[in-house]
Amino acid sequence: MYPLLDDFIIREERRRNRSLPKRFIAWLNADKGEKTAKHLERTLAKPGSENMAVQLLKKAEEAYKADDVYKKQDAKRKRSLKQFQKVFEDWLNGKPGTPYREEMLNAKDDMGRELARSDAERAFARANPHLLPDDYKDASKTRIRPVRNGYMKEVDDLTFGVIEPGLNQMGLVGADILRSWDKIVGQALAQNTRPERITFPPKERANATLFLKVRAGFNTIVQHHSPQIIFRINGHFGFRAVSEVRISKRPFDENETTGSQVSRKVLAQRVQPVAQLSPRMAELIHSIKDPEMRQAFEELGKVIEARNR
């Protein structure tokens, strides 16, 4: 199909004094390597392009190796998922999965059954993380608990599992440095600083550089306390996670804060609902047939009218 490429491969094998892998040549002739093979054929058609073709062939070998590694990882992942599903079904049909199984049976619709099954899978994944593929071993999939608690939780505890993967991509160590910033450095520094990002050296997960947003006028204080900040952060994580603290050029935003502080601010600004709704709003709400929804809209309407006054 590619005569110039076939002759070039023969010459390259003589130059290397070894044969190219048969699977690589088959990959070049297959659909995945068709684009690379055509590029090599066009390059070899030009005079004096032998050296360029050699470089392209090396890149093609690297692409083939990456594709082969992905295939092996994908096959391993599928085997792990198959094993996980088999063990999960045994667990769900056994005694530990009885509450989840009953919840699935008592669900009113398909969505309720899917949610109950999702809760069961997450609970099983937390208990057996070793059965999950490596790309599934993530905090957002193995640490979220089913909602079966008899006590109240703060807003940041409920929502942190959702934003944690995004924070990890930003370079925050387990996202814990942002969540526990006031506990790590103390209330005085926490009120005037915000962790912006943390950067690690290449191929390392230690000795990082932490960038802080600092309130205007506190740069000198933060620079003076930087050894203390580094000591507290490393003591919190148990290893030398941070070795340098730098002040970011981005401005300090007063609104950037933790969930508990936001909730306290919202509660402090909460208004007292009015005693009665306006006739027009009462007429609209009265047309709602569902009693629970009608009561919810009535309470919401009282709060909105109180804020509009």
Side-chain angles (χ1 to χ4, degrees):
M1 185 180 292
Y2 304 105
L4 295 177
L5 179 58
D6 295 338
D7 294 340
F8 170 70
I9 289 176
I10 295 173
R11 292 196 304 273
E12 185 65 18
E13 288 177 340
R14 290 174 181 172
R15 190 182 298 114
R16 297 185 184 185
N17 198 21
R18 61 180 177 84
S19 300
L20 291 174
K22 293 182 179 180
R23 292 176 62 184
F24 169 63
I25 296 175
W27 178 83
L28 274 178
N29 294 323
D31 293 338
K32 290 188 176 180
E34 182 179 4
K35 185 177 179 181
T36 304
K38 288 181 178 179
H39 192 187
L40 281 166
E41 187 76 8
R42 289 195 302 269
T43 303
L44 290 167
K46 301 175 183 177
S49 58
E50 188 83 6
N51 292 332
M52 186 181 295
V54 171
Q55 298 298 325
L56 290 175
L57 186 66
K58 289 182 179 179
K59 291 182 179 180
E61 289 182 275
E62 293 175 359
Y64 161 74
K65 290 178 181 178
D67 185 59
D68 191 50
V69 170
Y70 172 77
K71 284 183 179 179
K72 292 179 180 178
Q73 290 178 348
D74 191 54
K76 181 180 178 182
R77 175 179 173 274
K78 288 179 179 178
R79 288 195 302 269
S80 300
L81 278 177
K82 188 175 180 180
Q83 180 189 9
F84 172 80
Q85 290 295 338
K86 183 178 181 301
V87 180
F88 168 70
E89 292 295 339
D90 295 340
W91 176 86
L92 186 62
N93 294 324
K95 187 177 179 181
T98 303
Y100 300 97
R101 193 167 62 252
E102 291 178 353
E103 187 176 352
M104 290 170 63
L105 292 173
N106 296 330
K108 296 181 180 179
D109 51 13
D110 293 340
M111 184 176 291
R113 282 187 287 273
E114 290 179 3
L115 290 174
R117 184 178 178 85
S118 177
D119 287 345
E121 287 181 351
R122 289 175 179 177
F124 179 74
R126 285 199 316 273
N128 303 277
H130 58 283
L131 297 177
L132 288 172
D134 291 338
D135 56 341
Y136 272 66
K137 293 178 182 178
D138 181 77
S140 63
K141 294 182 177 63
T142 60
R143 293 183 188 174
I144 296 180
R145 299 180 178 180
V147 183
R148 287 186 176 85
N149 301 313
Y151 56 90
M152 295 180 63
K153 285 188 173 183
E154 292 187 356
V155 175
D156 58 343
D157 290 331
L158 293 172
T159 58
F160 209 79
V162 179
I163 65 174
E164 187 174 8
L167 294 175
N168 286 331
Q169 292 177 2
M170 293 168 57
L172 295 170
V173 181
D176 194 43
I177 192 170
L178 178 63
R179 187 181 190 183
S180 308
W181 183 243
D182 54 343
K183 297 178 183 178
I184 294 174
V185 299
Q187 197 67 26
L189 285 173
Q191 290 178 352
N192 301 294
T193 58
R194 296 282 184 275
E196 181 192 19
R197 69 183 187 277
I198 185 167
T199 59
F200 291 92
K203 298 181 181 180
E204 289 188 26
R205 299 300 293 173
N207 298 319
T209 302
L210 174 65
F211 290 84
L212 297 177
K213 292 181 181 179
V214 182
R215 192 192 299 272
F218 282 83
N219 293 12
T220 306
I221 298 174
V222 172
Q223 289 175 352
H224 178 72
H225 287 86
S226 59
Q228 183 182 0
I229 295 173
I230 295 172
F231 176 78
R232 290 188 177 183
I233 292 173
N234 294 338
H236 177 78
F237 288 107
F239 67 98
R240 190 174 176 80
V242 175
S243 60
E244 185 180 2
V245 173
R246 294 184 181 179
I247 297 175
S248 173
K249 295 181 180 179
R250 296 184 179 180
F252 179 87
D253 190 355
E254 189 69 33
N255 294 326
E256 293 180 9
T257 181
T258 60
S260 58
Q261 291 172 327
V262 168
S263 61
R264 286 196 297 268
K265 184 178 180 180
V266 170
L267 290 174
Q269 296 176 350
R270 187 170 55 181
V271 297
Q272 188 68 25
V274 296
Q276 291 183 348
L277 292 170
S278 63
R280 180 173 174 276
M281 188 173 290
E283 183 181 355
L284 291 173
I285 294 175
H286 184 69
S287 61
I288 300 175
K289 296 180 180 180
D290 191 311
E292 294 183 358
M293 187 173 293
R294 184 169 59 248
Q295 182 181 358
F297 272 99
E298 184 178 350
E299 294 175 356
L300 178 62
K302 290 179 180 179
V303 174
I304 292 175
E305 288 194 356
R307 286 186 176 179
N308 293 338
R309 288 185 176 180

